[in-house]
Each structure stands twice: as structure tokens, then as C-alpha cells.
Amino acid sequence: MEPTINSAQELIECSVPMKANKRTQPEPMQVNVNGVNIGGREVIIIAGPCAVESMEQLVETAVAVRKSSAKILRGGAFKPRTSPYSFQGLGEDGLKMLREISIETGLPVVTEIMDTRQIEIVCRYADMLQVGSRNMQNYPLLKEVGMTRKPVLLKRGMMATIEEFLLAAEYILSQGNGQVVLCERGIRTFETSTRNTLDLSAVPMLKRRSHLPVIVDPSHGTGLRWMVPAMAKAAVAAGADGLIMEVHYKPEEAFCDGHQSLSLGEFDQLMKDLKRVAQAVDRDISRQP
Amino acid sequence: MEPTINSAQELIECSVPMKANKRTQPEPMQVNVNGVNIGGREVIIIAGPCAVESMEQLVETAVAVRKSSAKILRGGAFKPRTSPYSFQGLGEDGLKMLREISIETGLPVVTEIMDTRQIEIVCRYADMLQVGSRNMQNYPLLKEVGMTRKPVLLKRGMMATIEEFLLAAEYILSQGNGQVVLCERGIRTFETSTRNTLDLSAVPMLKRRSHLPVIVDPSHGTGLRWMVPAMAKAAVAAGADGLIMEVHYKPEEAFCDGHQSLSLGEFDQLMKDLKRVAQAVDRDISRQP
Amino acid sequence: MEPTINSAQELIECSVPMKANKRTQPEPMQVNVNGVNIGGREVIIIAGPCAVESMEQLVETAVAVRKSSAKILRGGAFKPRTSPYSFQGLGEDGLKMLREISIETGLPVVTEIMDTRQIEIVCRYADMLQVGSRNMQNYPLLKEVGMTRKPVLLKRGMMATIEEFLLAAEYILSQGNGQVVLCERGIRTFETSTRNTLDLSAVPMLKRRSHLPVIVDPSHGTGLRWMVPAMAKAAVAAGADGLIMEVHYKPEEAFCDGHQSLSLGEFDQLMKDLKRVAQAVDRDISRQP
Amino acid sequence: MEPTINSAQELIECSVPMKANKRTQPEPMQVNVNGVNIGGREVIIIAGPCAVESMEQLVETAVAVRKSSAKILRGGAFKPRTSPYSFQGLGEDGLKMLREISIETGLPVVTEIMDTRQIEIVCRYADMLQVGSRNMQNYPLLKEVGMTRKPVLLKRGMMATIEEFLLAAEYILSQGNGQVVLCERGIRTFETSTRNTLDLSAVPMLKRRSHLPVIVDPSHGTGLRWMVPAMAKAAVAAGADGLIMEVHYKPEEAFCDGHQSLSLGEFDQLMKDLKRVAQAVDRDISRQP
């Protein structure tokens, strides 16, 4: 393995032409998720539960977040869990529920893919494929999603430098799929009062070095429900093209991540606050048509 | 993965009464720096050069930042430098220049103190004492500034947890000086594309756990001039009570930190942008009277 | 400052019975790799090139390391590379060469597996399956290797806690495959003078908390050829059950990791030195029969 | 502040002549602590309590560690504590006890200095001045100890790079005091199962880049009494010139750090084991004359 090239300068100077490099493609790009454009003037909000649990949960949450101006629905059917004894997701049943709710509400859906063998089935139901933090350097998986024509939400590994993050995106781009959205979701540091350390400087840094849109996940980035609003506002002020947040209709009963999920009421209030911040930096969050 | 929120919990539960703890003093406090209140509705901007270099430099910078609505002037007379062969500051001559310019412009001045033996002389000239990152756990120094009646700007150590940061403040408070402003200035992580990783989650976390005002230093936090505006806006959106930023009339000729100092023009533009963000979160940045 | 020994304590106290936990299985276990036992009195040395490049390279290296008392041959056929444009390995051709050389020299072979779809083919040729750092939390892959009956070499993720490392092993054990060897290979920290920070305290910690054998990779752990001997000796003194090291017959011509690979002569000298250290801690490194 | 120069190569290439650089002084140096040479063939063991508590404690501990072949006594009179409400040390009374016991046993004593104002008094009683981790970048203190003629034990900051550590030593050397011993004592990482992560690769790295002797502190480096022996042996195998360890005659009653202090019996057994490891790497630990 090669020593990491470690400054922005060096990457820009890198002689190998890179697709994720701004020198190759100087104009910011928009990624189209079934009609929703990420990377334009509008700040796109992706919301939904950590894991798909039931049709009731999904309907209640999706209808509410749509009303609060979320544009894309998130929800996990295959869950990567630190312990093999934790809830692992509903699998294909969860994917079917996501598809159904998407048809009903008109919200495109994004869901995580963990295994190259799941590509076909996840592509059948989802509008956007998420590659999670733990798989940011799962190269066979990156290549496989690079061979699909679905937009990809690539989360930064909790131990990945900006450089490695862009090279992970390059794995997808190099296979011909240019529709990649980068997501900062917190890195691991010595600090233990938050679940991760949300590195908002990644937003301007990634936007300077690459043409790809950049969004932020304040839910995993902090791990603390009460802190999500402050960091969501900060992310928008820093220039994020969107946010992905965990919202649950009954956070205290969530199968996972309830402690970092917003309630429907908290989410609605936050969306109003975010719209003001977005406008203060010449962006906007529009209502659903 | 499960969050390790142990420290926050433990500190709140801590049986020893702590002065920096919100349970002891639930109301947010304002720190008065010679007439400028930090911790109120107004977002206070502290600006100036890394080091005092000459009267000309100081006058040009101070007059300009004052016009752009900065409320306090910063400038180092004693400089902590990683190498013993780097410029170490002008010492007392620098302090005198700071005093003079303060009288001329009406801006209070904050400057760093590095040694218990400097207390008397620095107190003679400065309105606010800064304890830098490298000295956050210099306990004899913390006790000495705790025995003065000057407001203190305490910067987080680059390796300090939130818990340790509050305990450092406690050293000052325990000596009877309650006028402490906490400053997040970036922590050290594995990421090398920025000088430090600015941990903006420290802002809501510190404000939840303590009554002390919290400000942010995006200049040291990023080490990159072009990134300062994005992170300054993010800090205000996250709820910071103020910002401290390096501004130089000729950044390319600065004795130190020129690469992270804003020019006078960049600073003026940023202040206009910051005012909009401040208002979007129900704060304000007012003009000098 | 007070130690935060929470994880060790919690894991031991964990109510869910865990297979990787010493409370469940208090006796140290030996893992049998085609006749070579890891976890007994003997310190087992695994050596070979980063990547399989050619039959010539493999023969020269294998014969030499065998003569110097290495007991298992390593070599990558599928290589995880940070950049998609770097050499990705010889694939099945590489696996065949490994098998051939194994038959010729009698050395069992260990090679990395990166994708659930490679299980069948890698099992056909290898004696031991390696799950690399980047895949330590690739749960579908862990489950698949857990369903084979091949011994597994599981490398610690570069930002994985001891707790997460043991839980990754648990994914394999929970599927019925108990033949897991844990490998410390350096973690990511702020320090940049070495490629990673080799965390040798992981050796006593893992051996206290689990019955699984623990080995160390000083090649990736340091990234510096000249430093490998010092850290290899330290690992054995700390109680490691074995070492895995990169050795190349022409390091300066290696396709990858040449800067951290020992030459055949350096390796031979190191083995003599290691034998002395092993004996000083009541272990041994025996000659090939 | 200047961006850190980050590779060994760069430092060696550095144009400013540096006193701590091997290019300037290629021969390893020995530091003489009142007759005990650190940096020669002999591995020097420094042992004693975290803090001086009483004459009884000091006598019992000093006599016992001397008998087990320790060559220098450690003990804190001024203690840096994270909380202002923890035991802060006996001050000058503690220093006097150290002097007395030194005369009685013939062991030179090393003790920590935290404040430039303590220089005179500490120099009066101690044979070697310790600058602790938290003060590694307390530049006024480094300069002051650099102006004395006492040997200095400089501990690495818990988040200091190798480069910064050498530059801190340079502060002392630049004032004319060349008698500096470097001490690795664990760095701060994301791992929480140990108090710090003992970075043993610092030993070969420092010895390659500087002529100064290097010792290791496995007590603070791990924070766990049961782990000290494994890491002490590893440090010697890695090439350390000495060790500093916390030993207490009644660890369970220690005022501080009892959980990481060895009992007298544990220390005696460890010394026997260390002697074997030292001899396996062509060093030695000799008995007191």
C-alpha cells in the first residue's frame, strides 16, 4: 500500500488525471436523484429513520418529513452493526416498504448497500445507493456501485482523510458512474463526549478540491439528538449542499439510534430554522410542490 | 455503535460542586471586557494580527477592523513558537504598542500570557489575558490568572477533552476570578489537510454544560485563509458568542501565520456576511457606536 | 487524569454471552494452520511479499524465509489499494502460484480475501484466510468466512477500538468458525513520522480479554523497513504469539510496499535476534524440521 | 505558528542547524545523573512513587527498589492534576524528603518542575529535573531549565509529534544545557481501554534522529498495573535506554496513580525478567554496587 499523499496541493499537482479532481472538471456538478437535484442553489434535506421497522413507522415518518420540506427519504434495510447480536435490518421486506412509501409520497429513497451480492436487489427498489462509513474502502463494493447507473451517497470513513475519501469516490467514478454525493458524517478522535467529531471543515475542503456535491450527517456526526439542530445549522452555513438526518415518529421506541433521532416536531422546527440560515448564505430550502 | 457519552453524564453527576458546571450556575454569564460584553445577544468579533510587529501595522489593522465592526483587538507580544529559532515576539514593547492603540481606537485589547512571571506586566497593559492552547494545563499559570481580576480568554488545548477544558477553567474560577471566556480553536486529529480539526460541536456542548461564554478561533482551527469565512459562519450558526480571527494589513509579509490571516478587505466582506448569519439565528453584530 | 477503563470492564460485564470473551472460554486456544499451531509456546513467523508478482519472486522468497525459520508464507493475490489506478493483484493466477509454492516448500499459505464472491476460489487455494484492516467491519464478509472451516487471520481496523476488534471476531465465531487469529497492525493517530502507530499494548489487552491467539504486523505498523526489527523484537517481548512480516527478494523492485519490506538477508538476521528475545520471555522460535 | 514539518526526512534536510539533530551530533550521548549514566550499555531503571506522601512511604519504597537494582528514585513534590480539587503535592517538604532519602540510599532523585518560579528551589534538592507532558511546550519553563546545569528528563506531550518533541528538547539545548533525556510516555488516541497509547516506535525513531538517550514510562503509557510488565519488556526490546516506573509500597493506599503503580514484590519480579530481555538485545541491568 502506498503512503498517503497528504496535502491539497499535492493532490492538485498529482500527475495521474483524476476524475474527482477539480482540475479535471472545474464546474460544480449536480446529482439528480429521481428528479431531486443535489448540488444546486437549493439545500436538499434527506430524512427518515435509521432502520425500516414497519409500514406504520415508515408512513408516519415519511408523510411528516415531506410536509416539513424534506426531499428524499432515508431508511436502512440492511444494517451494519458493531455486534452480531444486534438487530440486522428487515432485508428485502424493508426494501419493498421503502419502494411502496416512495410511490405513495413521491419522495425518492436512499438506502445502504453492504455487499456486492446485494447490488441487483437494492437497485430494484432504491433511487440512490448509500455506501456507509465502514465500507468506504470496500473496493469491490465501490467498483460494483460504479458499474450501476444509480446515484451514490458515499459516506466518509470514520478514519479516512480527505484524500482517501476522494480516492474512494474515484473508485466509483473510474467505473463510469459520475453521480456521486460525498457525505461528511464525523471522524473518530480522542474526544468522547460526542459519538464522533463532526469535521465541518471537510465541506469547504471537498468543494474546493472536487466538483462533487457535499452533504453532512449531523445525526451520526454527534450522536446526540439535542445537538443535531446546532450542527445542522452550522453545516448549512459552512456551505453544505444538503443534510441527511435521522427522524423517527417515536424516537424512544426506535430499534436503533433513537438517542440521536429527532422527533417529528423537532424536525419541523429545525427545518424552519434551517431555511433562515440557508437564505443568509444565499441558498434556500423550498417547500414541496 | 454505541455512543460513549460518559463524560458529559459524569460531569453533571459529579459530586464535588464545580464552579464551571451549569448545575451550580444555571444562567449563562456575560464577561465584560472593558465595556464589551461577551455572552449576550451580540456576537463579539475579536480581530487583529498574530503578533505585534510595528506601530504602523497595528494602527492600520486596528483602525480597519474597528470600522468593520470588530469590538476587541488581538495581538501577541509574547509568542509561543514550536521552534526556538522562530520570532518570539516584541515583549514589553509590543504590550506598550497595544495599550497605545487601544487608547487611540477605544478597542479593548487581549494578548497572550505564557509565564507566571509575566502576570504583572501583562496586566498593566492588557484588558483581557489570553491563556493559549499549549498552556491550557499549565496549572501554576491558571492559578495566577485566577488571582487577577482581569477577564481571561482560555483556549482549548489541542489534545484536551471537553471535560479537561472545563476543569482547566475551574482552576481559574477556583481562585476567585469568574470572568472566563472559553475558546474552541481546533483539536489534533489524524487529518492533515487542515492545520487542526475545528470541533464546532464543542460550542453547543460547552454551552450546555457550563454558564461561561464560548467563542471560536477559525484561523488556528483551519490554518487556511480561504477556509476561515466558511468556518466563521458555521461557528456563528452553531451558537458561538464570538469569534477571534487573525487579520493583517499585509498577510504576505506577516512575521507569523500569514497563511491563515485575512486581509483587511477579506475581513470587511466576511463581517457583512457574518451579520446575516447572526441574524438568521437571532443574534446580531452591531456597528461600532 | 483518571483512566477510562470503561470498555474492558463493560465487555467483561456484558450480559450477552460472547464467544470471544475469556469468561466464556478461559483457556488460551491454539489455531492450527495446516499443521502449524499458533498460540502455543512457539512464536510463529509468517513472512512473504506484499503481493504475489511472479513465480520467480515467490520461489526465491519462500525458500529463503523457510530456511530462516518462517513457518507460514504470506502473499496477496487480491490487493486493496487506496487508488483505483494502483496495481490490484494477479487474482486467481496469484492464488495458483501460492498453492504451487506451498506444495513445493511445505509452508502453509495465508492470503487476503476482499469480497464475499471470492470465498470459494480463495478457499480452494489458501490454508488461511486473511481479512484486512479495511474490511474489519465488512460484516457480510466476516459472516462468510465464519461459515467456512478455514482458519482466519483478522487484522485490526486502523481506527478500531479493542472492543470493536473483538466484536468483529465475534461475527466470525458466531457463525461456527472458532479458528481466528487476531492481528495488531498499527492504528491511525496524529503522528505522521510512521505510517501507523503500532499499538503493542493491544497484545496483553487482547490476550487478557480473549482466548484467541494474537500476532503483530510490524511492517504495516511502522511502514519503515529499518524500524521493523526493533518493533518485531518489542512485539515478541510483549507476548505476541507470532509476527507477520513483509519480505521481498528485491525490495527496491517490489510492486508495492517495497519501502517496508525486509530483504532476505535482513530477515535472516532478524530471525536470529528474535529467537534470543523469545527465549528471554520463555518462548521459542524453532528451526524448520 | 508555523505548519509542522512532518517527515523525518524533512527534519534531517532542515537547513537551520539543530542541536538535537543527529547530523549535528552523530554520536549517541550519555547523560550523567549524579554518577548514573543514561545512554550506555546499561538499561537504567528509575522507580518510585507518583507523589511523595511521607518519609515512611519514601524510605520503604526507596530501599526496596534500590535492592531490586533501580538506579534513580522518582517522586513528585509538585503535582499537575487535571482537577484543582485533587491532591497537589507536598511542595518543598516533599523535596526535602527526597533529598534526605537520596543521601541515605545513594540514589539520585528526579522530580517534576512545573513553574519557572520553582527553578531555584527544585535545583537545590533534585539531581534531575523532570518536565512533564503537560509542559512539553511550556517554552519559558524549557528555557529556564536550559539555563541550569542539571540533567533534564523531558516527557513527550500526549499529543506531540516526534518533530515537536525534538523541537521542545531544542529549546533546552539552545540555552546551553545539553543533558536531556527524552521520555516516551504514551500518546492520546481514540483507544480508551488503556489510559494512553504507548508509542514504542518513538524509541527507534528518536534514536535515529537524535543523539539524546530515550527512556519509556510504561506506567503512564498504559495506566494499568497488570500491563506494565509486558510493556516494560517490550520497551527494552525496542531499544530503550531506560524505564521510569511507578512503584508504591502500598499501591491501594496511594494518593494518586495507585491503579498503575507496581507493588514492591511485582517490581522485584519484573526487574529479574527485564534483565533477561536486556541481555537478549545485548544490553544489561546490573545490580547496585
Side-chain angles (χ1 to χ4, degrees):
Chain A
M1 257 149 288
E2 50 299 290
T4 53
I5 310 167
N6 56 357
S7 82
Q9 201 44 38
E10 282 166 38
L11 186 66
I12 288 167
E13 241 110 87
C14 189
S15 58
V16 180
M18 289 189 51
K19 291 177 201 294
N21 189 323
K22 251 210 163 148
R23 287 241 294 231
T24 315
Q25 181 161 344
E27 284 309 301
M29 192 186 69
Q30 295 189 24
V31 170
N32 182 316
V33 184
N34 220 345
V36 176
N37 282 316
I38 306 180
R41 187 174 187 278
E42 174 97 0
V43 177
I44 300 301
I45 309 300
I46 305 173
C50 171
V52 175
E53 297 167 8
S54 70
M55 207 53 207
E56 180 198 315
Q57 169 225 34
L58 219 49
V59 173
E60 297 246 6
T61 309
V63 169
V65 299
R66 186 186 185 288
K67 210 169 144 192
S68 305
S69 301
K71 296 295 188 309
I72 299 177
L73 183 69
R74 60 151 291 157
F78 300 103
K79 298 300 303 171
R81 304 304 298 274
T82 305
S83 162
Y85 308 122
S86 302
F87 173 62
Q88 310 268 320
L90 295 183
E92 190 170 0
D93 285 348
L95 293 175
K96 284 179 183 163
M97 292 181 196
L98 280 172
R99 188 73 260 140
E100 203 172 315
I101 202 72
S102 172
I103 291 167
E104 219 166 291
T105 58
L107 294 175
V109 291
V110 57
T111 199
E112 182 164 355
I113 179 161
M114 290 167 63
D115 189 342
T116 50
R117 297 170 305 183
Q118 298 163 347
I119 289 277
E120 208 190 312
I121 192 171
V122 177
C123 282
R124 202 178 309 146
Y125 299 107
D127 299 294
M128 186 180 209
L129 308 177
Q130 178 180 319
V131 177
S133 290
R134 293 177 180 76
N135 285 309
M136 195 205 82
Q137 292 190 316
N138 181 337
Y139 301 125
L141 184 63
L142 295 175
K143 285 182 185 170
E144 282 296 325
V145 302
M147 283 185 272
T148 72
R149 286 304 163 264
K150 292 278 184 184
V152 180
L153 177 55
L154 178 65
K155 293 190 126 186
R156 183 181 181 184
M158 69 181 87
M159 67 215 150
T161 61
I162 293 292
E163 174 83 22
E164 291 165 345
F165 190 15
L166 288 172
L167 283 166
E170 191 76 9
Y171 261 94
I172 302 172
L173 272 55
S174 70
Q175 302 301 311
N177 184 351
Q179 300 286 302
V180 177
V181 174
L182 304 171
C183 179
E184 159 64 29
R185 47 76 72 203
I187 56 174
R188 181 163 278 187
T189 69
F190 63 85
E191 177 59 61
T192 54
S193 68
T194 43
R195 179 175 174 176
N196 294 288
T197 297
L198 191 63
D199 177 14
L200 288 181
S201 67
V203 176
M205 183 59 86
L206 289 167
K207 291 188 77 69
R208 188 182 178 91
R209 292 176 65 182
S210 163
H211 64 289
L212 300 173
V214 180
I215 71 170
V216 170
D217 177 347
S219 304
H220 286 85
T222 64
L224 299 166
R225 187 192 310 176
W226 64 266
M227 201 188 267
V228 169
M231 298 314 281
K233 285 183 270 185
V236 171
D241 296 308
L243 298 172
I244 180 166
M245 290 186 281
E246 291 186 341
V247 181
H248 198 281
Y249 77 135
K250 295 176 182 169
E252 62 292 342
E253 294 177 19
F255 288 13
C256 59
D257 283 355
H259 55 281
Q260 69 190 34
S261 297
L262 298 175
S263 69
L264 302 179
E266 287 164 340
F267 180 70
D268 190 60
Q269 179 57 50
L270 174 56
M271 290 296 281
K272 292 188 177 95
D273 297 342
L274 284 174
K275 189 179 172 73
R276 294 173 63 196
V277 176
Q279 289 172 342
V281 292
D282 297 321
R283 307 289 287 264
D284 204 3
I285 295 177
S286 67
R287 296 198 58 77
Q288 283 290 352
Chain B
M1 218 166 319
E2 43 302 299
T4 53
I5 325 189
N6 53 333
S7 345
Q9 201 48 34
E10 281 164 35
L11 189 64
I12 288 167
E13 241 111 89
C14 192
S15 58
V16 180
M18 289 189 53
K19 292 176 200 293
N21 189 323
K22 252 212 163 147
R23 288 239 294 230
T24 315
Q25 180 160 346
E27 285 309 300
M29 193 186 68
Q30 294 189 25
V31 170
N32 183 315
V33 184
N34 220 343
V36 176
N37 282 315
I38 307 180
R41 187 172 188 277
E42 174 97 0
V43 176
I44 300 301
I45 309 299
I46 305 173
C50 171
V52 175
E53 298 167 8
S54 69
M55 207 54 206
E56 180 197 316
Q57 170 226 33
L58 219 49
V59 173
E60 297 244 6
T61 308
V63 169
V65 301
R66 185 185 185 288
K67 209 170 145 191
S68 303
S69 302
K71 297 292 189 308
I72 300 176
L73 183 69
R74 61 152 289 158
F78 299 102
K79 298 299 304 170
R81 305 304 298 275
T82 306
S83 163
Y85 308 122
S86 302
F87 172 62
Q88 310 268 321
L90 295 183
E92 189 170 0
D93 286 347
L95 293 175
K96 285 179 183 163
M97 292 182 196
L98 281 172
R99 189 71 262 142
E100 201 172 318
I101 203 71
S102 172
I103 292 167
E104 218 165 292
T105 58
L107 294 176
V109 292
V110 57
T111 199
E112 181 162 355
I113 179 161
M114 290 168 63
D115 190 341
T116 51
R117 298 170 304 183
Q118 296 163 348
I119 289 275
E120 209 191 309
I121 192 171
V122 177
C123 282
R124 201 178 309 148
Y125 298 107
D127 299 293
M128 185 180 210
L129 308 177
Q130 177 179 317
V131 176
S133 291
R134 292 176 179 74
N135 285 309
M136 196 205 81
Q137 294 189 315
N138 181 338
Y139 302 124
L141 185 61
L142 296 175
K143 285 182 185 170
E144 282 297 326
V145 301
M147 283 184 274
T148 72
R149 287 302 164 265
K150 292 278 184 182
V152 180
L153 177 56
L154 178 64
K155 293 191 125 184
R156 181 181 183 184
M158 70 180 88
M159 69 217 145
T161 61
I162 293 291
E163 172 89 19
E164 291 165 347
F165 190 15
L166 288 173
L167 284 165
E170 191 76 8
Y171 262 94
I172 303 171
L173 271 56
S174 69
Q175 302 302 310
N177 184 351
Q179 300 286 303
V180 176
V181 174
L182 304 171
C183 180
E184 159 64 29
R185 47 74 73 205
I187 56 174
R188 182 163 277 186
T189 69
F190 64 84
E191 177 60 62
T192 55
S193 69
T194 43
R195 180 173 171 179
N196 293 288
T197 296
L198 190 64
D199 176 15
L200 289 182
S201 67
V203 176
M205 182 58 85
L206 289 167
K207 291 188 77 69
R208 186 183 180 89
R209 291 176 65 184
S210 161
H211 64 289
L212 301 173
V214 180
I215 71 169
V216 170
D217 177 347
S219 304
H220 287 86
T222 65
L224 298 166
R225 184 192 313 176
W226 63 265
M227 199 188 269
V228 168
M231 298 314 282
K233 286 183 269 185
V236 171
D241 296 308
L243 298 172
I244 180 166
M245 291 186 281
E246 291 187 341
V247 181
H248 198 280
Y249 78 136
K250 294 176 182 169
E252 62 292 343
E253 293 177 20
F255 288 12
C256 58
D257 283 357
H259 55 280
Q260 70 191 33
S261 297
L262 298 175
S263 69
L264 302 179
E266 287 165 340
F267 180 70
D268 190 61
Q269 178 58 52
L270 173 55
M271 290 296 281
K272 293 189 176 94
D273 297 342
L274 283 174
K275 189 179 171 73
R276 293 174 64 196
V277 175
Q279 289 173 341
V281 293
D282 297 321
R283 308 289 287 263
D284 203 4
I285 295 177
S286 67
R287 295 198 60 76
Q288 283 290 353
Chain C
M1 219 165 324
E2 42 304 296
T4 53
I5 326 189
N6 53 333
S7 345
Q9 202 44 37
E10 281 165 35
L11 189 65
I12 287 166
E13 240 110 271
C14 191
S15 58
V16 180
M18 289 190 52
K19 291 174 200 293
N21 190 323
K22 253 213 162 148
R23 287 239 296 228
T24 316
Q25 180 161 345
E27 285 309 300
M29 192 186 69
Q30 294 190 25
V31 170
N32 183 315
V33 184
N34 221 344
V36 177
N37 283 316
I38 306 179
R41 187 174 187 276
E42 173 97 1
V43 176
I44 300 301
I45 309 300
I46 305 174
C50 171
V52 175
E53 297 167 8
S54 70
M55 206 54 206
E56 179 197 315
Q57 170 227 32
L58 218 49
V59 173
E60 297 245 6
T61 309
V63 169
V65 300
R66 186 185 186 287
K67 209 170 144 191
S68 305
S69 302
K71 297 292 189 309
I72 300 177
L73 182 69
R74 61 151 291 157
F78 299 102
K79 299 300 305 170
R81 305 304 298 275
T82 306
S83 162
Y85 308 121
S86 302
F87 172 62
Q88 309 268 321
L90 295 183
E92 189 169 0
D93 286 348
L95 293 175
K96 285 179 184 164
M97 292 182 196
L98 281 173
R99 187 73 260 141
E100 202 172 317
I101 203 72
S102 172
I103 293 168
E104 218 166 292
T105 58
L107 294 176
V109 291
V110 57
T111 199
E112 181 164 355
I113 179 161
M114 290 167 62
D115 190 341
T116 50
R117 297 170 305 183
Q118 297 163 347
I119 290 277
E120 208 189 310
I121 192 170
V122 177
C123 282
R124 200 178 311 148
Y125 298 108
D127 298 293
M128 184 180 210
L129 308 178
Q130 178 179 319
V131 176
S133 291
R134 292 177 180 74
N135 284 310
M136 195 205 82
Q137 293 190 316
N138 181 338
Y139 301 125
L141 184 62
L142 295 175
K143 285 182 185 170
E144 282 296 326
V145 302
M147 283 185 273
T148 72
R149 287 302 163 266
K150 293 278 185 184
V152 180
L153 177 55
L154 177 64
K155 293 190 126 187
R156 183 181 183 184
M158 70 181 88
M159 219 135 185
T161 60
I162 293 292
E163 172 91 20
E164 291 165 346
F165 190 15
L166 288 173
L167 284 166
E170 190 76 8
Y171 262 94
I172 302 172
L173 272 56
S174 70
Q175 302 301 310
N177 185 352
Q179 300 286 303
V180 177
V181 174
L182 303 171
C183 179
E184 160 62 30
R185 47 75 72 202
I187 56 173
R188 182 163 279 186
T189 70
F190 64 86
E191 177 60 60
T192 55
S193 68
T194 43
R195 181 173 172 177
N196 294 288
T197 296
L198 191 64
D199 176 15
L200 289 182
S201 67
V203 176
M205 183 59 87
L206 289 167
K207 291 188 76 69
R208 187 182 179 89
R209 292 176 65 182
S210 162
H211 64 288
L212 301 173
V214 179
I215 71 170
V216 170
D217 177 347
S219 305
H220 286 85
T222 64
L224 298 166
R225 185 192 312 177
W226 64 264
M227 200 188 268
V228 169
M231 298 314 281
K233 285 183 271 185
V236 171
D241 296 306
L243 298 172
I244 180 165
M245 290 186 281
E246 291 186 341
V247 181
H248 198 282
Y249 77 135
K250 295 175 182 170
E252 63 291 342
E253 294 177 20
F255 288 12
C256 57
D257 282 356
H259 55 280
Q260 70 190 35
S261 298
L262 298 176
S263 69
L264 302 178
E266 289 164 338
F267 180 70
D268 190 60
Q269 179 58 51
L270 174 56
M271 290 296 281
K272 292 188 177 95
D273 297 342
L274 283 174
K275 188 179 172 73
R276 294 174 63 197
V277 176
Q279 289 172 342
V281 292
D282 298 320
R283 307 289 287 263
D284 203 3
I285 295 177
S286 67
R287 297 199 57 78
Q288 283 291 352
Chain D
M1 256 149 288
E2 52 298 287
T4 55
I5 310 168
N6 55 358
S7 82
Q9 201 45 37
E10 282 165 38
L11 187 67
I12 288 167
E13 241 110 87
C14 190
S15 59
V16 180
M18 289 189 52
K19 291 177 200 292
N21 189 324
K22 252 211 163 149
R23 287 237 297 229
T24 315
Q25 181 160 346
E27 285 309 300
M29 193 187 68
Q30 294 188 26
V31 170
N32 183 316
V33 184
N34 220 344
V36 176
N37 282 316
I38 306 179
R41 187 173 187 278
E42 173 97 0
V43 177
I44 300 300
I45 310 299
I46 305 173
C50 171
V52 175
E53 297 167 9
S54 70
M55 207 54 206
E56 180 198 315
Q57 169 226 35
L58 218 50
V59 173
E60 296 245 6
T61 309
V63 169
V65 300
R66 186 185 186 288
K67 209 170 145 191
S68 304
S69 302
K71 297 293 189 308
I72 299 177
L73 182 69
R74 60 152 291 157
F78 300 101
K79 299 298 304 170
R81 305 303 300 273
T82 305
S83 162
Y85 308 122
S86 303
F87 172 63
Q88 309 268 321
L90 295 184
E92 189 169 0
D93 286 347
L95 293 174
K96 285 179 184 164
M97 293 182 196
L98 281 172
R99 188 72 263 141
E100 202 173 317
I101 203 71
S102 172
I103 293 167
E104 218 167 291
T105 59
L107 294 176
V109 291
V110 57
T111 199
E112 182 163 355
I113 179 162
M114 291 167 63
D115 190 340
T116 50
R117 297 170 305 183
Q118 298 164 344
I119 290 276
E120 209 190 311
I121 192 170
V122 177
C123 282
R124 201 178 312 148
Y125 298 108
D127 299 293
M128 185 180 209
L129 308 177
Q130 178 179 319
V131 176
S133 291
R134 293 176 179 76
N135 284 310
M136 195 205 82
Q137 293 189 316
N138 182 338
Y139 301 125
L141 184 61
L142 296 175
K143 285 183 185 169
E144 283 296 325
V145 301
M147 281 184 275
T148 73
R149 287 303 163 266
K150 293 278 185 182
V152 180
L153 177 55
L154 178 64
K155 293 190 126 186
R156 182 180 183 186
M158 70 180 88
M159 218 135 184
T161 61
I162 293 293
E163 173 83 22
E164 290 165 347
F165 190 15
L166 288 172
L167 284 165
E170 191 76 8
Y171 262 93
I172 302 171
L173 271 57
S174 70
Q175 302 302 311
N177 185 351
Q179 301 286 303
V180 177
V181 174
L182 303 171
C183 179
E184 160 63 29
R185 46 76 71 205
I187 56 173
R188 182 164 277 187
T189 69
F190 64 86
E191 178 60 61
T192 55
S193 68
T194 42
R195 179 173 173 178
N196 293 287
T197 296
L198 190 65
D199 176 16
L200 288 182
S201 68
V203 176
M205 182 59 86
L206 288 167
K207 290 188 77 68
R208 187 182 179 90
R209 291 175 66 183
S210 163
H211 64 289
L212 300 173
V214 179
I215 71 169
V216 170
D217 177 347
S219 304
H220 286 86
T222 65
L224 298 166
R225 184 193 313 177
W226 64 264
M227 200 188 267
V228 168
M231 299 313 281
K233 286 184 270 185
V236 171
D241 295 308
L243 298 172
I244 181 167
M245 290 186 282
E246 291 186 341
V247 181
H248 198 282
Y249 77 136
K250 295 176 182 169
E252 62 292 341
E253 294 178 19
F255 289 11
C256 58
D257 283 356
H259 54 279
Q260 70 189 33
S261 297
L262 297 176
S263 69
L264 302 178
E266 288 164 339
F267 180 70
D268 189 60
Q269 178 57 51
L270 174 56
M271 290 297 283
K272 293 188 176 95
D273 297 343
L274 284 174
K275 189 179 171 73
R276 294 174 63 196
V277 176
Q279 290 172 340
V281 293
D282 298 321
R283 307 288 287 264
D284 203 3
I285 295 178
S286 67
R287 296 198 59 75
Q288 283 290 353

